[in-house]
Amino acid sequence: MMSKETFKALVLRQEDSKTSHAIENLTVDDLPEGDVLVAVDYSSLNYKDGMAIAGVGKIVREFPMVPGIDLSGTVLESLSPLYKRGDKVVLTGWSVGERYWGGYTQKASVKSEWLVPLPEGMDTKMTMMIGTAGFTAMLCVMTLEEAGITPDKGTVLVTGASGGVGSIAVAILGSLGYRVAALTAPGQENTHDYLRSLGATEFVGGPQWNELPRPLETQRWMGAIDTVGSKVLSRVLAEMDYLGCIANCGLAGGFDLTTTVMPFILRGVSLRGVDSVMCPIEKRKIAWKRLAKDLPAKALEAINSKAISLSDLPAAAADIVAGRVRGRLLVDLNK
Ligand code: NDP
């Protein structure tokens, strides 16, 4: 994998605990070791990427770092029998963009076992319009299904509904025939038309979502996909129906959780965690196939209002951390 041809990447460096970012010209000799070289078509902006670029939290474990927790593209060279030149692939998680160089680069050197071949009917653009956020939304839906939460059982609440994970969760649930309630933060009522177009049928909000609930509140939700954590998750737990299930994947409102055992012991509620980063490869393949089938292309277009370039990333990162991004942002590496 030797070539002097240069390509562009966003590189994070750290000096005196301060993170800086710049678009740099690299050659493949600068890339870390991997058995597959990928020409990256697209990446996306996830909440974690925003934190990494903005230098918030401890997302990046090694410097210098090419951030970007996901990518899709075409195999250029492969030392692995699993892939050959020309194969289309998608990569999410496995700590790329955190511990290993990620997707904000025109070429990436990666491990073959991290890759998933594109499912039938999807191209590299669609897979990154979905990205880690959409993949995680699908894992959350599969988690509810595993708990027996079918559309006929009752309403599913999605928190952080206008964000990346939330928007795609609403769209998948809607297309599967679930009744979907969307929780949006105060001041986000302007997102209701957008969420209704994706499949939300009911909207929830109000000052009580910033306060701790009583141990048990009126039962409202058979299922819930929670991307917010903290007091929001406390209230969701207290409002769950008998034998309901919550799939929690996020902490947009905080990582704390105050609750009681009451929802568990009196209502048989289950709280299941969802992790996309270390998700086993077989489950990944199933989730990507499900996304090809259960996420309508029209919804995906509505969720991804625009594609941005490497140079747009710093401003977009500040926006997503401040909660100013609706839906998803696709990163076009050839823009
Ligand atoms: P986004 O920023 O796109 O969406 C987060 C949404 O949460 C916002 O749009 C907003 O929605 C809501 N929100 C933000 N801050 C608050 C707050 N203080 N209180 C209540 N609601 C708030 O992020 P993503 O959708 O990409 O990610 C969502 C969460 O899921 C993040 O915590 C992320 O780290 C996590 N995640 C976890 C993964 C895993 O593998 N476990 C994978 C991917 C993401 P609204 O305006 O509708 O209220």
Side-chain angles (χ1 to χ4, degrees), residues 1-294:
M1 298 189 187
M2 302 273 279
S3 161
K4 291 290 163 231
E5 200 183 305
T6 63
F7 57 87
K8 289 191 191 321
L10 183 75
V11 182
L12 301 182
R13 296 184 183 276
Q14 195 173 55
E15 215 173 300
D16 300 331
S17 328
K18 236 185 133 282
T19 307
S20 63
H21 50 75
I23 296 175
E24 298 187 9
N25 287 311
L26 305 180
T27 70
V28 287
D29 299 350
D30 297 316
L31 295 177
E33 220 174 283
D35 58 351
V36 178
L37 182 68
V38 179
V40 181
D41 295 335
Y42 297 98
S43 180
S44 77
L45 182 72
N46 294 278
Y47 192 81
K48 234 186 210 176
D49 300 317
M51 291 174 75
I53 298 171
V56 180
K58 288 201 166 38
I59 301 295
V60 177
R61 301 308 172 109
E62 304 275 341
F63 289 92
M65 173 59 63
V66 170
I69 63 170
D70 47 28
L71 63 88
S72 65
T74 311
V75 172
L76 288 174
E77 292 173 29
S78 173
L79 300 173
S80 157
L82 297 175
Y83 294 96
K84 59 178 189 319
R85 187 180 166 85
D87 285 348
K88 304 284 181 194
V89 289
V90 56
L91 193 171
T92 66
W94 300 116
S95 298
V96 304
E98 302 176 54
R99 204 176 286 276
Y100 310 107
W101 283 19
Y104 297 157
T105 173
Q106 292 177 312
K107 286 184 187 170
S109 168
V110 300
K111 292 187 185 169
S112 49
E113 61 262 32
W114 294 341
L115 296 170
V116 173
L118 253 54
E120 220 175 287
M122 270 204 205
D123 57 23
T124 53
K125 187 173 178 186
M126 281 171 82
T127 53
M128 278 303 110
M129 286 167 84
I130 295 168
T132 300
F135 172 64
T136 306
M138 189 73 240
L139 293 178
C140 289
V141 172
M142 286 160 60
T143 299
L144 295 185
E145 289 173 344
E146 284 158 17
I149 311 299
T150 45
D152 55 302
K153 295 258 169 73
T155 303
V156 176
L157 174 69
V158 177
T159 71
S162 67
V165 177
S167 294
I168 298 189
V170 168
I172 298 170
L173 291 167
S175 95
L176 290 172
Y178 285 88
R179 277 204 309 279
V180 187
L183 173 72
T184 54
Q188 297 285 356
E189 292 75 13
N190 56 348
T191 61
H192 289 187
D193 285 346
Y194 159 74
L195 290 167
R196 197 174 287 113
S197 76
L198 297 181
T201 48
E202 195 181 318
F203 295 92
V204 189
Q208 71 275 25
W209 288 91
N210 289 323
E211 291 157 18
L212 282 176
R214 293 175 294 181
L216 292 173
E217 298 277 356
T218 305
Q219 298 182 43
R220 301 175 80 184
W221 322 114
M222 195 62 218
I225 293 181
D226 176 53
T227 70
V228 175
S230 193
K231 288 184 185 133
V232 165
L233 180 52
S234 305
R235 180 162 296 275
V236 177
L237 271 161
E239 291 187 357
M240 291 306 288
D241 277 338
Y242 193 76
L243 294 186
C245 175
I246 304 169
N248 164 261
C249 71
L251 72 178
F255 65 78
D256 58 305
L257 175 60
T258 303
T259 189
T260 71
V261 297
M262 295 307 198
F264 307 109
I265 66 170
L266 294 181
R267 293 183 179 166
V269 168
S270 61
L271 173 59
R272 301 194 181 195
V274 173
D275 168 60
S276 66
V277 177
M278 303 306 290
C279 175
I281 197 80
E282 286 316 315
K283 193 163 189 180
R284 286 171 189 259
K285 289 180 180 168
I286 295 169
W288 279 107
K289 279 197 184 124
R290 289 284 310 270
L291 282 159
K293 188 162 71 71
D294 296 330

